[in-house]
Amino acid sequence: LSADVVNMRTGPGEQHPVLWVYRRNGLPVKVVGEFYQWRKVLDHEGDVGWIKSNLLSNRRKLLVVGQSLVDIKRNAAIEARVVAQAEPGVIGDLETCDTAWCLIDLGTAEGWIPRDHVWGLLEGEKLD
C-alpha cells in the first residue's frame, strides 16, 4: 500500500461498500486481478477485495510472519550469526529471495531470514 489510509472495497468502484480500512503504509498485498484502474488484492489474512491502483506501490515489501521473534542472520545460513530479531507483523523492504532465504531491510536492521517467515511472495517466486 502506498498511503496511510486505504479502503478495500467489495468491488471495483467507489460505489461498492468498504470491506476494510487499512492504516499501514507499506503493508504488502498480492494483486490477483485487474479491472481498469482497480486491482483485486489478497492480504496476509486471506481477505480479498478491490483497491484503486494509485493507492498501491510497485516497491516490494514484506510482512514478517510467525508465532514468535524471528532471527535475522548475517548470511543465508542456519549457522550464521544473528544480527537482529523481528517481531511478527513488522513490515520491511524485500531485497532478494531464493528458495530458502530472503534478504530484508527493516530500516534499523538488514539481513537474511528464512523464506517461510516472509509474507509477500508468490509461490516459488525468486527475486534477484
Side-chain angles (χ1 to χ4, degrees), residues 9 27 29 39-40 44 50 53-54 57-58 65 70 80 85 87-88 91 95-96 98 102 112 126-127:
R9 297 182 177 273
L27 183 73
V29 294
R39 301 298 177 261
K40 188 175 187 180
H44 68 285
W50 293 86
S53 62
N54 66 338
S57 169
N58 288 330
V65 294
V70 178
Q85 291 185 312
E87 292 184 18
I91 295 172
E95 303 293 333
T96 186
D98 61 25
C102 293
W112 295 86
K126 293 181 186 176
L127 295 176

Side-chain angles (χ1 to χ4, degrees), residues 8-9 13 26 42 47 50 54 57 64 66 71 75-78 80 85 102 105 119 123:
M8 176 193 272
R9 297 182 177 273
L42 169 72
D47 293 309
W50 293 86
N54 66 338
S57 169
V64 175
D71 290 339
N75 301 308
I78 296 279
Q85 291 185 312
C102 293
D105 184 351
W119 191 91
E123 186 72 32

